[in-house]
Amino acid sequence: MIHRDPARRRAPLPRALTTVLVAALAVGCTTGGGSGNEPEASGSPPHGYVEGARESAEQQARLVLSDPATGDARVLDLITEKVHRVEGVEGATALTTDGRFGYVHAPAGVSVIDTGAWMVDHGDHVHYYRADIRTLGRLTPHGDARVSRGDGTHVAVTTGSRGTVLHRRSDLEQGRIGAGQPLAGRHAAVIPFREHVVAVPRAAGAGVTVLDRAGKETASLKTECRDPRGDAVTRRGVVLGCADGALLVRARGEEFTAVKIPYPQDVPPGERARDFRLRPGSDTLTALAGDTSVWVLDVTDRAWKRVETGPVLAANTAGEGAPLLALGTDGTLRGFDVDTGERTAQATLRALPDRDGIRDGVGDGIRAGDAGAPDIAVDQSRAYVSNPAAKRVDEIDYNDSLRVARSFDLDIRPGLMVETGR
């Protein structure tokens, strides 16, 4: 069942307007005076054409949802509001995405769900696509895997037993999972970036290196990232979470450099940033700082800020002037001004099991970041808050005092959630 704000909900674009916008987009992509939907004289397909996919004028957002307790999984289409059943994964412990594919981590390996929603950014314009939803299979035969999506050309899967294997994303786009290309050596983290990979060695005291796709070292940054936890790719470069702060790896042409962004004070291990959340395309990252506050990392200014939110289960922000969103253990979503740390808005989410805990029904003593805990995904206009206890996802207009625009009732507990189509 879907509950909407009857007065002010975001509706899909009218069909006629969508058609006009798609046509205008196609014209903007051409170099000549053609319509952009007609094959060129050489017989090649029109610019932006993707076989088996339909192009749209607006973002084709979808949510991948998984119930760790049962293994059931769903894909929620936020345009059509339809819920699609997909093959579940028993014992799921984490769910990640690269904007199109959902990667479900479990003891049996990392399974891949093609959500059929993605975008292609050409710099001066963007293409949005939708296609059929399908499951592709497993990337790895065993668990204990770390998946880094990086620059969108490769997927790096790192396990303790097999090391790192690079998979071509183009294979996944064609519906197949190949054997992948093993990367020599043992690494704590590998992130594809600018036709290279940023590699953090397991050995203590070793500096971060840059390798080509064949695994040959092309740059030694001589900067250590101790105990790496969490990574993100931003417009400014790769961000690695390290014991003493963050490490920003930048690229200018073929030259790679590394810059440390230290914490503003000594930080106990339990309050380190370990799992970054951000809006795709943003340079503002969030991470929980223990149980009662949130780190905000401005990559552009290379500065950390700690916001005292009170007891918190999940946090995220759209960046660039948007509020920091923090979901409290009392089921209240709060907005904070990142610069001042002041609370600017709050909304109590509908029909929680009780006033004391969003935790009821998902296991006693669940903590933020655990499989089964609530999460927040953010795009350019909305935030999505999962509520496993109530079997629901709420769509939040974070620019309108955290108004609940829509609520989606589900038949599973969405303990794991990612948004695709971005």
Side-chain angles (χ1 to χ4, degrees):
M1 181 178 295
I2 301 167
H3 304 273
R4 305 184 184 89
D5 182 325
R8 303 168 65 187
R9 72 178 179 89
R10 179 177 62 174
L13 292 173
R15 184 180 300 273
L17 179 57
T18 299
T19 302
V20 170
L21 289 175
V22 171
L25 177 62
V27 171
C29 291
T30 61
T31 56
S35 68
N37 288 322
E38 300 171 358
E40 299 175 1
S42 63
S44 61
H47 175 75
Y49 172 79
V50 176
E51 185 177 1
R54 300 174 294 282
E55 188 169 1
S56 175
E58 61 178 338
Q59 176 179 289
Q60 300 299 295
R62 291 173 176 173
L63 297 178
V64 184
L65 307 161
S66 175
D67 185 337
T70 65
D72 293 331
R74 305 286 186 266
V75 176
L76 169 59
D77 191 318
L78 295 169
I79 302 298
T80 66
E81 300 182 343
K82 292 182 178 180
V83 178
H84 301 260
R85 292 175 177 265
V86 292
E87 183 178 342
V89 178
E90 185 176 356
T93 58
L95 178 60
T96 56
T97 186
D98 58 7
R100 172 175 176 174
F101 299 97
Y103 302 95
V104 187
H105 302 237
V110 177
S111 298
V112 185
I113 299 172
D114 183 354
T115 69
W118 72 96
M119 62 169 282
V120 178
D121 189 349
H122 286 171
D124 59 343
H125 64 277
V126 176
H127 294 269
Y128 298 107
Y129 297 100
R130 62 185 295 119
D132 293 337
I133 299 168
R134 56 185 176 175
T135 56
L136 302 185
R138 289 205 302 264
L139 280 174
T140 60
H142 306 290
D144 182 32
R146 176 172 179 162
V147 178
S148 296
R149 290 79 61 197
D151 57 8
T153 62
H154 286 73
V155 178
V157 182
T158 302
T159 64
S161 59
R162 300 181 65 208
T164 298
V165 177
L166 294 178
H167 292 267
R168 294 185 301 181
R169 195 172 184 270
S170 58
D171 288 340
L172 302 180
E173 292 168 356
Q174 296 174 26
R176 64 175 184 268
I177 295 178
Q181 175 188 334
L183 200 64
R186 288 290 186 266
H187 304 92
V190 174
I191 302 94
F193 180 58
R194 299 286 181 89
E195 301 301 323
H196 293 74
V197 293
V198 176
V200 183
R202 285 188 179 276
V208 174
T209 59
V210 179
L211 314 175
D212 62 19
R213 298 299 196 204
K216 179 181 178 181
E217 182 177 309
T218 61
S220 176
L221 304 182
K222 302 185 184 305
T223 306
E224 184 184 6
C225 179
R226 291 186 294 108
D227 192 21
R229 292 289 188 275
D231 58 72
V233 177
T234 73
R235 292 174 299 177
R236 304 289 177 180
V238 173
V239 177
L240 298 166
C242 310
D244 54 356
L247 182 67
L248 172 63
V249 179
R250 302 171 298 174
R252 178 172 295 180
E254 294 295 316
E255 181 181 357
F256 291 82
T257 57
V259 177
K260 272 292 184 71
I261 309 177
Y263 286 123
Q265 68 269 341
D266 290 337
V267 176
E271 298 178 7
R272 282 182 47 191
R274 294 179 175 272
D275 187 13
F276 293 115
R277 293 286 192 271
L278 72 160
R279 174 182 60 80
S282 172
D283 292 325
T284 305
L285 284 63
T286 66
L288 300 186
D291 297 326
T292 60
S293 56
V294 175
W295 288 113
V296 179
L297 173 60
D298 187 325
V299 180
T300 302
D301 292 341
R302 301 178 195 168
W304 293 92
K305 184 176 290 291
R306 184 166 180 159
V307 180
E308 301 299 332
T309 59
V312 61
L313 285 173
N316 208 334
T317 183
E320 301 175 3
L324 167 67
L325 305 178
L327 180 64
T329 55
D330 60 355
T332 300
L333 182 68
R334 297 174 175 87
F336 294 85
D337 183 295
V338 173
D339 293 329
T340 66
E342 295 181 357
R343 189 174 66 195
T344 58
Q346 70 178 46
T348 300
L349 301 186
R350 180 183 62 84
L352 288 173
D354 60 49
R355 293 294 304 158
D356 293 328
I358 205 167
R359 307 175 182 188
D360 290 357
V362 296
D364 294 334
I366 194 167
R367 295 173 59 87
D370 290 346
D375 202 357
I376 303 174
V378 177
D379 61 31
Q380 291 183 336
S381 61
R382 294 290 190 269
Y384 297 92
V385 182
S386 63
N387 187 336
K391 295 185 177 180
R392 192 180 70 250
V393 172
D394 291 313
E395 179 184 76
I396 306 296
D397 186 345
Y398 53 79
N399 290 316
D400 188 11
S401 300
L402 307 187
R403 174 177 60 86
V404 179
R406 294 184 291 180
S407 292
F408 301 92
D409 290 330
L410 305 164
D411 63 343
I412 67 170
R413 298 181 186 273
L416 297 170
M417 176 184 70
V418 293
E419 182 181 1
T420 65
R422 306 179 294 178

